[in-house]
């Protein structure tokens, strides 16, 4: 593995459409995080998986958002009925065990809702 | 999570040391100080972290004051590729122990040729 991979890199969608993003973490990393970043701001925590279990969700994660990590490997983040306010960079990060040595982030998926 | 305060922007001449300050006056005894940076259009990159003692790695040095209320990230010989937003983070823990990171708005460091 060379790092955390996110696909697609860019997504433009019409308001009201559903979108799904994929994150492939470093293979031995058991913890996976999703963050959202809007222009000029730092990343904001969305949700966290330890293996396949989703253990915490931010209040930012409305009912239109769902994340999965089947079999504790890759993860998907789906946004239903997209709104213009969902336009942001969605970042995935992974880490093995305790995060004492830092997370590895992917390059993100930039979503634009028109 | 302890909050951090950083200057919004700084300039540094290429080849000189870049010193990026961070205040974290409400840090608790078991919280680490982390530094990440984000180069344009990329995800954040881990730089260094520390608890009490000064730390150094191949990328940077971290100086933490004795009272732990502030710290300084030092890039010893800044290059143009060090132009980025630098985030100082005090690592928080949730009830589930997820050790999520709480980012502020960071310091935009510009290296001047």
């Amino acid at each position: 593995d060379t790092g955390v991979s996110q696909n697609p890199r860019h997504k433009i969608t019409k308001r009201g459409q559903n979108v799904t993003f994929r994150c492939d973490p470093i293979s031995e990393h058991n913890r996976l995080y999703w963050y959202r970043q809007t222009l000029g701001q730092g990343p904001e925590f969305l949700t966290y998986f330890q293996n396949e279990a989703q253990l915490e969700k931010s209040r930012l994660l409305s009912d239109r958002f769902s994340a999965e990590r089947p079999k504790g490997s890759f993860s998907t983040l789906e946004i239903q009925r997209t709104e213009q306010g969902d336009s942001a960079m969605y970042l995935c990060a992974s880490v093995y065990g305790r995060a004492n040595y830092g997370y590895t982030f992917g390059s993100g998926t930039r979503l634009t809702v028109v | 999570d302890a909050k951090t305060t950083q200057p919004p922007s700084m300039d540094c001449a290429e080849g000189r040391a870049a010193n990026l300050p961070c205040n974290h006056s409400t840090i608790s005894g078991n919280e680490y100080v982390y530094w990440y940076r984000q180069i344009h259009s990329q995800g954040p990159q881990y730089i260094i972290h520390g608890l009490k003692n000064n730390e150094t790695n191949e990328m940077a040095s971290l100086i933490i004051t004795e009272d732990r209320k502030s710290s300084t990230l030092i890039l010893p010989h800044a290059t143009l590729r060090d132009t980025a937003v630098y985030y100082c983070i005090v690592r928080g823990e949730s009830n589930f122990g997820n050790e999520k990171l709480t980012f502020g708005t960071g310091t935009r460091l510009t290296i001047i040729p």
Side-chain angles (χ1 to χ4, degrees):
Chain A
D1 288 313
T2 56
V4 176
S5 176
Q6 291 190 248
N7 289 287
R9 286 298 310 275
H10 303 276
K11 178 72 176 178
I12 300 174
T13 191
K14 292 184 178 180
R15 188 173 52 186
Q17 297 293 304
N18 298 344
V19 294
T20 300
F21 311 138
R22 177 178 171 125
C23 171
D24 287 275
I26 294 173
S27 59
E28 63 267 26
H29 286 186
N30 59 338
R31 297 187 179 205
L32 185 147
Y33 298 76
W34 286 97
Y35 286 79
R36 181 174 71 183
Q37 185 174 24
T38 54
L39 200 59
Q41 302 298 312
E44 297 172 292
F45 169 77
L46 291 180
T47 190
Y48 154 66
F49 290 85
Q50 182 164 325
N51 300 311
E52 67 276 9
Q54 186 175 19
L55 295 185
E56 187 172 349
K57 295 191 289 186
S58 161
R59 291 190 301 273
L60 295 173
L61 216 63
S62 75
D63 291 344
R64 296 183 297 105
F65 288 71
S66 63
E68 294 182 343
R69 191 183 183 199
K71 301 179 182 178
S73 55
F74 70 92
S75 177
T76 58
L77 178 67
E78 180 183 16
I79 308 174
Q80 296 182 327
R81 305 181 303 281
T82 52
E83 302 173 356
Q84 286 188 322
D86 297 331
S87 295
M89 173 78 83
Y90 290 84
L91 292 159
C92 176
S94 71
V95 65
Y96 175 75
R98 297 190 68 85
N100 285 340
Y101 296 98
Y103 302 86
T104 302
F105 279 84
S107 294
T109 294
R110 180 166 296 284
L111 173 67
T112 302
V113 182
V114 297
Chain B
D1 295 349
K3 293 185 178 178
T4 62
T5 304
Q6 298 178 253
S9 64
M10 292 181 63
D11 294 339
C12 179
E14 187 179 16
R16 305 296 293 271
N19 295 274
L20 292 93
C22 179
N23 287 319
H24 32 78
S25 59
T26 61
I27 192 170
S28 62
N30 63 349
E31 289 181 315
Y32 285 77
V33 179
Y34 280 79
W35 284 83
Y36 281 76
R37 73 180 183 184
Q38 188 171 24
I39 296 169
H40 183 60
S41 297
Q42 298 183 21
Q45 176 190 24
Y46 166 79
I47 301 173
I48 198 167
H49 74 283
L51 182 63
K52 296 181 181 178
N53 300 319
N54 299 337
E55 302 287 346
T56 296
N57 64 20
E58 65 277 5
M59 291 182 67
S61 295
L62 174 60
I63 309 298
I64 302 174
T65 58
E66 191 170 347
D67 63 7
R68 303 211 323 124
K69 292 185 177 182
S70 66
S71 60
T72 301
L73 178 74
I74 301 172
L75 307 178
H77 305 287
T79 71
L80 297 178
R81 289 181 294 180
D82 292 322
T83 292
V85 177
Y86 287 76
Y87 296 100
C88 169
I89 300 163
V90 174
R91 191 187 73 194
E93 293 188 3
S94 74
N95 290 335
F96 301 99
N98 81 29
E99 302 169 338
K100 62 188 174 187
L101 300 174
T102 301
F103 290 82
T105 52
T107 296
R108 182 172 297 277
L109 176 67
T110 302
I111 305 302
I112 310 297

